[in-house]
Structures are given as C-alpha cells and as structure tokens.
Amino acid sequence: MITRNKELPPAQREELLRILKVRFEKNMHRHKGLDWAEVQAKIESNTIKMWSLNEMERTGGEPDVVGHDKKTDEYIFYDCSAESPKGRRSVCYDREAMDSRKKHKPENNAVDMAADMGIELLTEEQYRDLQKVEKFDMKTSSWVQTPADIRKLGGAIFCDFRYDTVFVYHNGAESYYAARGFRGLLRV
C-alpha cells in the first residue's frame, strides 16, 4: 500500500468541488431529488473522503452521486466515466494474481489500487444497478468483486455492457488487458 498525505491543499479542494458540482448539475438523472449543497457539506466535512474522491477523479473515474443511503445518511459516489477509468486499466485482479505472474507483471492490481484509494470495487449487483442509471463500458470492461469460491480456484470476474445487456465473464485473475480496469464506489 502506498502511503500518501491524504489531505488536499485548499486550491485542489476547490477545484475538485467545482468539477464535482458541474458534473452533478449536468447529470441530474443520476441523482434525482438530491441537493448539491448537502452533498458538498458532507464532502467538506471529511478530508479523507475528499482525498478519495480526488483519487477517483485523478485516475479518470469521473465520480458522481448515484444515490443516498437514508439509514446512514451517506451519499454514494460511483465512477461514472463512459469507459473503465483510464488510469486504472492494465491491472490484474489482486496481489496474489500479480505475484503469480512469472513474466510481464502489470504495475498494479485492482484490489490494492482500490484499497489505496480508499474506495471499494463494485459488486456485480452494483455494476448492474449502475447500468440502469446510464450505459457504461460499451468498449471496455471492469473487474468486479469476485466471490471467494471463484477466486480460490484462480479466477476473477469482470463485466461490460454490449448488445443492451450486462455481461459477466471470467478470466484468470492474473490476466490484464489495456481495455480492462475497475470501477469503484465511495460512501460519503
């Protein structure tokens, strides 16, 4: 895990909030009935979550609010980039898979990157829910959380959207491709 200062300088905080506000207002279909001022107050009250949102943005995820959990009073951000985030592609599934490669190891893996960013990989169900909001990954694919029994056998699962359908596939967890990354979520 990479250790970094998880607090953004004031100018960077302001720029991130500006970007998120513009995206929020431009895509109201993703979060009907939610108010930006309330979302912004939540973000500003948690510097670590703000840092994680910045990491999502920095790696090409284009995070946006896709829901509000009334029980926990948390806003749910998903990566809403049209394709799997560019700064998170060409990664295998997890550290074990990466370490198993004898040659041509990728620079990183999805599970460690997500943890370092302070976000969670989407589950298959969350990925399907995201596709109900808007269509994503029409040219790329994204690793999703893999059930332990599949991972134990050396596999991992990923999803994409083709032919008006969400497809769930499998691959060896050690595989990586230029068109496969991962999407994450953050609760703020």
Side-chain angles (χ1 to χ4, degrees), residues 17 20-21 24 35-47 49-50 53 65 73 75 77 188:
L17 288 170
L20 293 174
K21 180 181 181 186
F24 183 92
D35 178 56
W36 172 251
E38 293 173 9
V39 174
Q40 182 173 337
K42 281 283 206 179
I43 296 169
E44 289 179 321
S45 73
N46 192 322
T47 57
K49 299 281 179 134
M50 185 182 283
L53 282 169
V65 178
D73 191 30
Y75 292 97
F77 284 81
V188 179

Side-chain angles (χ1 to χ4, degrees), residues 23-24 26-32 34 62-67 76 78-82 130 133-134 136:
R23 185 173 298 129
F24 183 92
K26 185 179 174 185
N27 297 285
M28 292 304 292
H29 63 282
R30 295 177 182 162
H31 36 255
K32 291 179 181 146
L34 297 183
E62 300 178 22
D64 198 6
V65 178
V66 296
I76 303 164
Y78 279 31
D79 287 307
C80 290
S81 54
L130 179 62
V133 173
E134 200 171 305
F136 299 97

Side-chain angles (χ1 to χ4, degrees), residues 3-161:
T3 304
R4 292 189 195 139
N5 178 8
K6 293 191 175 184
E7 191 164 329
L8 301 175
Q12 201 171 355
R13 283 196 304 264
E14 292 306 313
E15 178 63 9
L16 175 64
L17 288 170
R18 184 194 66 74
I19 290 167
L20 293 174
K21 180 181 181 186
V22 167
R23 185 173 298 129
F24 183 92
E25 291 172 348
K26 185 179 174 185
N27 297 285
M28 292 304 292
H29 63 282
R30 295 177 182 162
H31 36 255
K32 291 179 181 146
L34 297 183
D35 178 56
W36 172 251
E38 293 173 9
V39 174
Q40 182 173 337
K42 281 283 206 179
I43 296 169
E44 289 179 321
S45 73
N46 192 322
T47 57
I48 291 174
K49 299 281 179 134
M50 185 182 283
W51 180 87
S52 292
L53 282 169
N54 191 69
E55 287 298 286
M56 291 172 82
E57 184 68 28
R58 183 184 66 77
T59 57
E62 300 178 22
D64 198 6
V65 178
V66 296
H68 179 246
D69 185 331
K70 289 182 171 75
K71 289 179 187 173
T72 61
D73 191 30
E74 293 174 308
Y75 292 97
I76 303 164
F77 284 81
Y78 279 31
D79 287 307
C80 290
S81 54
E83 302 299 337
S84 197
K86 285 185 181 181
R88 297 186 230 154
R89 294 186 197 167
S90 295
V91 295
C92 59
Y93 182 71
D94 60 12
R95 168 71 51 189
E96 179 184 349
M98 194 168 111
D99 289 346
S100 76
R101 290 191 69 95
K102 305 265 187 268
K103 297 180 184 178
H104 310 295
K105 289 185 185 224
E107 290 184 26
N108 213 332
N109 67 81
V111 171
D112 285 353
M113 280 185 81
D116 187 47
M117 294 168 66
I119 65 174
E120 301 171 42
L121 259 71
L122 296 183
T123 64
E124 178 185 340
E125 180 182 356
Q126 290 163 338
Y127 188 92
R128 288 181 184 282
D129 288 343
L130 179 62
Q131 295 291 359
K132 293 174 187 172
V133 173
E134 200 171 305
K135 303 308 173 210
F136 299 97
D137 284 341
M138 295 175 71
K139 296 176 186 168
T140 58
S141 60
S142 295
W143 290 115
V144 294
Q145 288 184 32
T146 297
D149 55 335
I150 294 173
R151 186 62 198 95
K152 185 178 176 183
L153 295 171
I157 59 174
F158 62 95
C159 300
D160 64 24
F161 188 83

